[in-house]
Amino acid sequence: MTIKNLSFVLLAALSLILVGCDNDDTSSDTYADIIMQVSENVVYKPVWGSDAPVEHMLVKEPSDTEWQPLVMGSIEGFEYVQGHAYELKVRKTTLANPPQDGMNCTYRLLEVISDTQPDTPVAPEDWPEEAKFKLKMVQLKPFMDLDTPLAAPFDFLTFRIFDNKDEYTPFGYPEFLQYYDSIVVSSPVMPDTYCVYRKKTSEGSTSEEFMSQWSSYFFEKNDFQIVLKGYKDGEVKYESKIEQVMRERDFLGIDWTKGGVTLANPQTNAIYCVLDTRYEFLLTDTQQRNNTSFVKIGVANNINFTDAENLKRQEDGLRWLLIKYLGDKTAETIDNFKTLPEDASIVETYGNVATRAALIHVKGDDLHEECYYIIAEPK
């Protein structure tokens, strides 16, 4: 073989090696074309390495059951317009070697499948002043009787509806109601709505139902928006929005260090959300066992379900709560816990830096019904 031919062979071999290296570098990245939903609302929350909140879109991938925050501008080629809801086709690239301070995947817009503009209420300047209303959070009752101005999941919040002069009508019907058929509370991050005013006409007579004050717990640890919409003839005529500030404590509304402990006669609180009625949780006051604080969390049974359906609902609801607030499962055992009953049968364990929690299954007997519940304690 001549030197010229040998050089050609070596160059060809080197090219193949380089191409192979390039393929190896990228073949571990995975690509998938997915359909992504983008909410018409946004949230503000801190990003890695900073305490300053920044604007996030709310998105859902096919596997998501809840809205997930995504930093604004994270979808290449997509320009978000405030108040619009989108259905997008995007290319999701999961990175084999993501940056330490960044996301483990990237998104690139392939197609805008739909762009839905929001219901456009009558422009405020064209709507009578006496028809306007506003929503305010007026009372916070924290779990564990903590002294705090910031709400957390499982704190009890009370809201009132005021007129355009900031006046509250505890009894009777304020003037602005005459402009509406109904007034409804909703949130972009929650599945249900709550009607606070309804006008009914039947056989020539008209009746009204108005709730000027209402209360709820919320299963959220991030700030979220609450929207109050007034409808007339099926159209939104006016709306008022507030941003509800939420801050998770050590776990849900629990602060293991500052919170109080009930030493006798602990009560069980029914924790419900009027905008998310999938589950009603049963939360005990914070108690002590073996000189360690703990709480017990269950799921209330639905009278319309069978025993088997309620049992499945308990397991699903408690697992949903643990994953939402504590993330991935841990490998802890009964020996790691100080407050579990002696006959506890652990299904799964979860935890964060402050809290460990166990999903417990209790078999039924002559004295007890079969059930699932959570025991959570400080680390």
Side-chain angles (χ1 to χ4, degrees):
M1 180 180 295
T2 66
I3 293 177
K4 182 178 180 180
N5 289 339
L6 179 59
S7 299
F8 176 80
V9 171
L10 290 173
L11 285 172
L14 181 60
S15 298
L16 288 173
I17 292 172
L18 291 174
V19 170
C21 289
D22 288 342
N23 288 339
D24 287 343
D25 288 341
T26 59
S27 61
S28 52
D29 291 346
T30 57
Y31 305 85
D33 293 347
I34 63 172
I35 303 300
M36 175 182 283
Q37 307 296 326
V38 181
S39 170
E40 67 273 21
N41 289 280
V42 299
V43 295
Y44 288 83
K45 55 179 295 184
V47 294
W48 189 92
S50 172
D51 293 328
V54 300
E55 191 175 23
H56 288 66
M57 296 179 286
L58 291 170
V59 303
K60 278 185 184 178
E61 297 185 20
S63 60
D64 293 332
T65 58
E66 298 182 352
W67 293 107
Q68 305 295 329
L70 182 65
V71 175
M72 194 66 68
S74 295
I75 304 174
E76 180 186 349
F78 173 61
E79 184 174 347
Y80 179 82
V81 177
Q82 181 74 40
H84 288 223
Y86 299 89
E87 185 175 28
L88 309 177
K89 183 177 182 180
V90 300
R91 177 156 296 170
K92 178 181 178 180
T93 302
T94 303
L95 304 175
N97 299 297
Q100 187 175 3
D101 58 348
M103 300 189 304
N104 64 353
C105 58
T106 61
Y107 300 94
R108 180 166 62 86
L109 178 67
L110 298 177
E111 178 186 357
V112 177
I113 298 174
S114 66
D115 176 357
T116 304
Q117 297 188 30
D119 293 333
T120 305
V122 173
E125 61 269 17
D126 298 331
W127 200 236
E129 282 296 315
E130 63 270 19
K132 298 177 182 179
F133 51 75
K134 61 187 67 174
L135 183 69
K136 294 182 180 180
M137 195 269 281
V138 294
Q139 186 177 31
L140 161 64
K141 184 179 180 182
F143 181 65
M144 301 179 77
D145 297 322
L146 289 162
D147 182 15
T148 174
L150 296 178
F154 284 12
D155 288 348
F156 194 53
L157 309 184
T158 298
F159 298 83
R160 285 179 179 173
I161 303 173
F162 294 79
D163 64 15
N164 67 308
K165 298 178 182 179
D166 273 344
E167 294 179 352
Y168 169 63
T169 305
F171 305 104
Y173 299 91
E175 184 179 2
F176 63 80
L177 293 180
Q178 65 181 299
Y179 292 88
Y180 307 101
D181 299 324
S182 64
I183 298 176
V184 177
V185 182
S186 63
S187 174
V189 299
M190 299 178 207
D192 300 321
T193 60
Y194 185 63
C195 186
V196 295
Y197 172 69
R198 181 182 289 110
K199 183 183 295 182
K200 297 181 180 179
T201 302
S202 177
E203 298 180 355
S205 63
T206 300
S207 62
E208 295 177 281
E209 297 175 359
F210 178 53
M211 193 175 302
S212 61
Q213 176 175 296
W214 56 278
S215 302
S216 181
Y217 301 85
F218 293 97
F219 313 146
E220 299 298 322
K221 59 181 178 180
N222 297 318
D223 299 352
F224 62 92
Q225 197 173 72
I226 302 178
V227 186
L228 192 63
K229 293 183 179 181
Y231 288 84
K232 180 70 173 180
D233 298 326
E235 296 182 358
V236 179
K237 295 299 184 179
Y238 187 75
E239 66 179 37
S240 173
K241 300 179 181 180
I242 62 171
E243 191 78 14
Q244 180 58 50
V245 177
M246 300 291 283
R247 293 293 183 269
E248 187 184 15
R249 301 186 184 116
D250 292 340
F251 175 55
L252 298 170
I254 300 166
D255 186 317
W256 297 116
T257 303
K258 300 178 182 178
V261 175
T262 301
L263 298 178
N265 302 317
Q267 301 295 311
T268 298
N269 308 285
I271 307 296
Y272 61 88
C273 179
V274 297
L275 299 182
D276 186 348
T277 57
R278 290 173 292 179
Y279 303 108
E280 179 180 326
F281 295 99
L282 302 174
L283 176 64
T284 63
D285 292 335
T286 308
Q287 304 168 66
Q288 276 196 345
R289 183 181 290 147
N290 298 327
N291 295 317
T292 303
S293 300
F294 75 96
V295 294
K296 179 179 177 181
I297 306 172
V299 171
N301 285 340
N302 188 316
I303 60 174
N304 298 314
F305 288 5
T306 66
D307 289 346
E309 289 171 335
N310 270 314
L311 191 64
K312 181 68 166 58
R313 186 167 173 270
Q314 290 175 19
E315 183 180 10
D316 291 345
L318 295 171
R319 183 175 286 115
W320 171 82
L321 189 72
L322 289 167
I323 293 173
K324 183 178 180 71
Y325 289 100
L326 295 179
D328 296 332
K329 290 185 285 188
T330 62
E332 294 187 284
T333 67
I334 194 169
D335 295 330
N336 299 114
F337 288 81
K338 299 178 181 179
T339 63
L340 296 185
E342 292 182 0
D343 59 348
S345 175
I346 293 180
V347 180
E348 297 166 351
T349 61
Y350 296 78
N352 58 19
V353 294
T355 301
R356 60 169 57 91
L359 176 59
I360 305 296
H361 176 236
V362 176
K363 295 181 179 180
D365 56 29
D366 293 339
L367 299 177
H368 305 92
E369 292 184 358
E370 184 179 9
C371 68
Y372 289 90
Y373 63 88
I374 292 170
I375 290 289
E377 66 179 38
K379 286 186 174 178

